[in-house]
Amino acid sequence: MRLYVDSSRCSGCNACRVACSLSVFGENNPKKASLVIEPHFPAPGVYKVRVCTQCGDCAAVCPTEAIKQDAQGAYYVEFSECNLCEACVPECPEEVMFVRPELADTAWKCTACGDCVAVCGTSALWLGEKEAVAA
Amino acid sequence: MNGYGGHILRVNLTTGQVKKEPTPADLARDYLGGRGFGIYFLLKEVPKGADPLGPENKLIISSGPLSGLLVAGGGKCDWTCKAPLTGGYASASMGGHFTAELKYAGLDSIILEGISPKPVYLFIDDDKIELRDASEYWGKGSMTVEKMMKDKFGEEFQCAVIGPAGENMVSFAHINHDFGRQAGRGGVGAVMGSKKVKAIVVRGTKSVPVADLEAYRKAGMALYKACKDAEGLKEWTRYGTTIVTSWCNEVGALPTRNFSAGSFEGAQGIYGQTMREKIVVTDKGCFGCPCPCGKYSKTKKYNSYVEGPEYETIGLLGSNVGIDDIEAVAQANLLCDEMGIDTISAGNVIAWAMECYEKGIFTKQDTGGIELKFGNADAVFKMIEMITKKEGLGALLADGVKKASQEIGKGTEKFAIHVKGMEQSAYQTHNATAMLLAYMTCDVGAHHNRAWAITYDIQVGREKVVPEKVARVIWLQHFRPMFDVLGACRLQWVELGIDRDLYVPLLEAITGIHRTWEDIEKVGERIWNLTRLYWARENADFGRAWDMPAPRFYEDPPKTGVTKGQYTKLEDVNKLLDMYYEQRGWDSNGLPKPETLQKLGIPQELVA
């Protein structure tokens, strides 16, 4: 399972990011969300949203094996095992692997929980199966 | 404190001192936030008779307990001060993302005090709070500066910026944010300009505490679900506020050529449907909103980008100035945003000047050679620039339509469309008595959003002058502005029709205090009476005469359109006021009776 986005439908409201921080940390703090909305204003007046594709590149380089896979195939960070080394951050092709020690004493990422989907009024976000990887 | 940032930030611009104070728990309990905090500080701290553009006036910027949380539309920010436009109470509500950012920085309100000796901007990055030199930004357009600041500090920072009109203290200057959201009315931008504050830039990375996390998540999710399930979501998201343009034209409520008619022969060119097809590129939402009414547009004719136009702008800078081209309306909207003036007041006062010109009261000598006729878009663009610079005729119009018409005389006061000095927004009220009363009694002047009663007029019979209409207006005036107190948008309730009781468990889970809507409306009534007392405190002759509408609505019926020949008789205007004062517990001059204040528990310290 992974999150998909159609950026052209995004209105930049950030409800998804509040829901995400609540899901991941139990906090109201979109700075601790696992997806990114980039506004491009005043021109060309669009939002670009970046979400985790659950590719697993972060898990592959984690020296403490803190990034694990759940039964649905989504990767999540086991907070107690993260040592904030940041090895995962540059590996993420979508730039949605986060380490910000001033905000949290662990790395974090999207767990494909779907709470962001539940609050998105423009149907810009949805959950789906991961695409089959070509052999 | 649960649901709050926890601090009030005082910025003394005269001394350069910034100071944080804990948000008083009893203030949060009794006034909740937003407009409630605004009127409390205005009455308590701004001395009687303060010059709106002087050091004694304060600009009070407040979020509310629903701002920045898992609340559909939790993005409203209130800007309160003494209004340069009217000399009374100003409270402008701004959408976007600013109010959420205040909360994440641990702030509920910012109070700007005094006057800075030089142009500055207020920089807030969590606990790092500084006044910084703004000389490189002074004189520049509001969105130009916002872009410069986003480039300099990054997208995580939210900016509220005044344009050159705010710097020049145009009496209806506004404050711009998020490339197209404004604190629009009453001249709040002029107050910020008088204090020489070009911008406020804020980033917060703190979490906002709530009383019961699980109950809050459940109630928040339920609110979003109700919005997403609402039948009107799709159409509303597609057209936003412009959805009402065609309806207004059909029922004769679309202001046309300075409110002389309610239907416009060129309306098709400015309908929401036309706009969507021709210029809209993106739906743009305020913080947390699942039903974004913001439409971001690109014009071909002018090769420009602008958020909007909203319905009010279409009414005032479209039909009211005789323009039938949505691209021209969008361009006028952009100029107002960049220069920093309110589109509603601008469209209203320019239409008044156009009528003066067409009646021969103004000549080309007065206009600086401009052919100031209805329908001339280039003339509108030029007037926006002249108002901003207070140049030529623009200097007169920059004072607003009330003062301009008083200065010119010659009967022009009769078609100066305002109440209490605030230009009327985009609903024609020759024959819509509840909406007329809503404008007459609105707490900032002729503004629509406190009581949008026009649909009720159509529902029960527009010409009727009955107590039910008055009661409806009063209920709306208590209930609707409470969203500006709570720091959230009312459109989820108004437009999508969701059950308002969904907010009750949500507010309780956030603040830990149980309140019914009845409790919340009581706070609304207390605030409404306080704003009335403020007007009376600041204006020795304040009373019934201040509530009268423009004479056009009782003397000068439309000559064209579906409301041709219709108007409200002066005796009915007075009857509306009589019933209104009685239902409110006010005397025949429109001032709250002592027993009314006592019943509402209004503290003596605020009314002394």
Side-chain angles (χ1 to χ4, degrees), chain B residues 241-529:
Chain B
T241 58
T242 73
I243 202 166
V244 301
T245 316
S246 52
W247 179 82
C248 283
N249 191 51
E250 283 156 19
V251 302
L254 184 68
T256 301
R257 286 182 289 271
N258 198 31
F259 291 82
S260 65
S263 308
F264 179 46
E265 66 283 357
Q268 198 93 38
I270 55 172
Y271 276 180
Q273 293 82 346
T274 309
M275 175 174 148
R276 182 84 211 187
E277 282 163 26
K278 283 183 81 169
I279 61 172
V280 173
V281 291
T282 302
D283 299 321
K284 188 162 174 281
C286 295
F287 181 88
C289 180
C291 43
C293 67
K295 304 296 135 215
Y296 200 76
S297 301
K298 179 180 192 299
T299 66
K300 282 192 191 127
K301 193 186 275 183
Y302 305 99
N303 191 29
S304 56
Y305 288 90
V306 60
E307 178 168 346
E310 297 276 344
Y311 166 71
E312 299 296 329
T313 303
I314 290 172
L316 272 308
L317 285 168
S319 49
N320 204 44
V321 290
I323 291 179
D324 61 3
D325 171 12
I326 194 67
E327 293 216 340
V329 178
Q331 185 65 11
N333 190 159
L334 173 65
L335 293 173
C336 285
D337 289 358
E338 181 72 349
M339 294 297 106
I341 58 174
D342 170 28
T343 57
I344 297 174
S345 286
N348 182 309
V349 74
I350 292 171
W352 171 83
M354 285 175 153
E355 184 163 345
C356 288
Y357 184 81
E358 294 207 349
K359 285 183 163 154
I361 296 163
F362 290 156
T363 64
K364 272 197 179 162
Q365 211 172 358
D366 299 309
T367 64
I370 296 167
E371 183 78 339
L372 196 57
K373 285 190 164 174
F374 288 112
N376 184 351
D378 289 335
V380 171
F381 302 159
K382 187 67 188 165
M383 289 315 303
I384 291 168
E385 189 187 324
M386 288 169 69
I387 290 168
T388 301
K389 293 178 179 166
K390 294 191 173 176
E391 186 181 282
L393 184 61
L396 177 77
L397 304 186
D399 286 338
V401 78
K402 179 185 176 184
K403 286 182 190 158
S405 65
Q406 283 173 343
E407 189 167 329
I408 296 301
K410 301 177 188 172
T412 63
E413 301 97 322
K414 296 207 170 208
F415 55 85
I417 312 299
H418 71 91
V419 178
K420 299 179 182 67
M422 178 177 278
E423 291 75 17
Q424 182 157 326
S425 59
Y427 300 93
Q428 183 79 13
T429 45
H430 272 100
N431 189 13
T433 50
M435 194 69 218
L436 182 69
L437 181 66
Y439 276 129
M440 288 158 64
T441 57
C442 171
D443 58 0
V444 291
H447 194 49
H448 58 284
N449 84 333
R450 308 299 198 260
W452 196 67
I454 192 148
T455 48
Y456 191 69
D457 278 315
I458 306 298
Q459 190 188 325
V460 301
R462 55 199 304 165
E463 75 291 345
K464 279 189 185 161
V465 178
V466 291
E468 293 78 10
K469 276 198 179 181
V470 175
R472 176 77 175 192
V473 168
I474 290 173
W475 176 67
L476 287 169
Q477 288 175 340
H478 293 166
F479 169 44
R480 285 176 56 113
M482 283 311 292
F483 284 92
D484 297 328
V485 171
L486 296 168
C489 183
R490 68 181 64 81
L491 290 176
Q492 290 70 23
W493 169 71
V494 177
E495 303 297 339
L496 300 184
I498 62 165
D499 182 355
R500 69 176 192 154
D501 286 343
L502 287 165
Y503 291 94
V504 171
L506 185 54
L507 185 61
E508 180 174 355
I510 289 169
T511 62
I513 299 170
H514 177 71
R515 294 178 179 92
T516 63
W517 268 111
E518 201 179 28
D519 299 330
I520 296 167
E521 283 167 21
K522 266 188 199 151
V523 179
E525 185 172 10
R526 190 183 314 138
I527 291 171
W528 198 267
N529 278 268

